[in-house]
Structure formats: structure tokens, C-alpha cells
Amino acid sequence: MSSSTAADLSLALYFANARIHQVLDEALSIRLGINFDDYVLLQSLADESDMELVRLATYLGNTRMGLLNKIRPLEKIGLLVSAGNVSQRQVRLTPAGQRTLNTAQQIVADDSNGMFGDEDLGGVLELVEKLN
């Protein structure tokens, strides 16, 4: 792949990501009062009962303090709870957080299906997974 093609791909992925965020932010905020980043955070906690803040921040590509700033509003509305000192803080979904996540998963699935055709999904997913 030439460098200009790679640069074009990088820009295309950036703008595609921005569009996905825009569409899903709007859908989630209207229906649930959360944004797509909140959804990703909730989804990341779904498979584990407790996750250490530092590990979660690393997984999400964020700093500990940056993640704390995202967690606090979700704690205030009862979707998350955290405990422990800052260096060993554990974060988990509350029952309300799990219910919100369940609804959000359906919203994201429905709105994502509206953005992508079924014939496009396999190839795009394969390409993006190579980046991870």
C-alpha cells in the first residue's frame, strides 16, 4: 500500500469513526441520556463483575484520571459504582447500569444496522480487526 493510500485510509477511518460516534451519540442520548463513549465503557464492564480502574483505562486507551472523569457522572446517575483507593479502585455495573446497557445494546445494534448494509459488514469488520 502506498503511503498516500495508507494516509487516505487513516483519514477515512477517522471520519467514519466520527460519523459513527455522531449517529450513536444522538440515538443513545435521546433515548437513554448517555453517549457512545458511555456505552463503550458500560459494555467493557459487562463481562466482569469488577474491573480495576487502571486495567479498564488501559483497555479503553485512556488515562486513569481521564477515565475517572467519565466514571463520576455515571456513578451519579446510578449506572456504575466504584470502591477502593485511586490506585486500586474497582469499577462495576449496578443493576440499573446493566438494564441501561441492555437497552443501549439494542439501540446500537438497530442504528448500526441502519448505517451499514449486511453485505458490507464482513469485509469492514475483518479490516478493522486487523488494526486491533
Side-chain angles (χ1 to χ4, degrees), residues 33-35 38 41-42 65-81:
I34 65 172
N35 62 34
D38 296 335
L41 175 57
L42 297 175
M65 289 309 296
L67 186 57
L68 272 173
N69 290 333
K70 290 181 179 184
I71 287 173
R72 286 186 182 119
L74 297 175
E75 284 182 307
K76 286 182 181 181
I77 62 173
L79 301 182
L80 297 177
V81 64

Side-chain angles (χ1 to χ4, degrees), residues 40-96:
V40 171
L41 175 57
L42 297 175
Q43 184 64 53
S44 298
L45 291 168
D47 296 330
E48 296 192 32
S49 57
D50 287 319
M51 188 180 282
E52 191 173 290
L53 181 70
V54 173
R55 190 168 141 238
L56 181 59
T58 300
Y59 176 71
L60 294 173
N62 209 324
T63 65
R64 184 173 23 145
M65 289 309 296
L67 186 57
L68 272 173
N69 290 333
K70 290 181 179 184
I71 287 173
R72 286 186 182 119
L74 297 175
E75 284 182 307
K76 286 182 181 181
I77 62 173
L79 301 182
L80 297 177
V81 64
S82 65
N85 63 36
V86 175
S87 64
Q88 296 181 341
R89 185 174 303 254
Q90 299 286 313
V91 183
R92 69 177 166 82
L93 286 173
T94 63

Side-chain angles (χ1 to χ4, degrees), residues 17-33:
N17 180 54
R19 179 67 180 140
I20 291 167
H21 265 79
Q22 181 183 37
V23 168
L24 296 178
D25 277 348
E26 184 176 337
L28 291 166
S29 67
I30 288 170
R31 297 179 197 147
L32 294 174

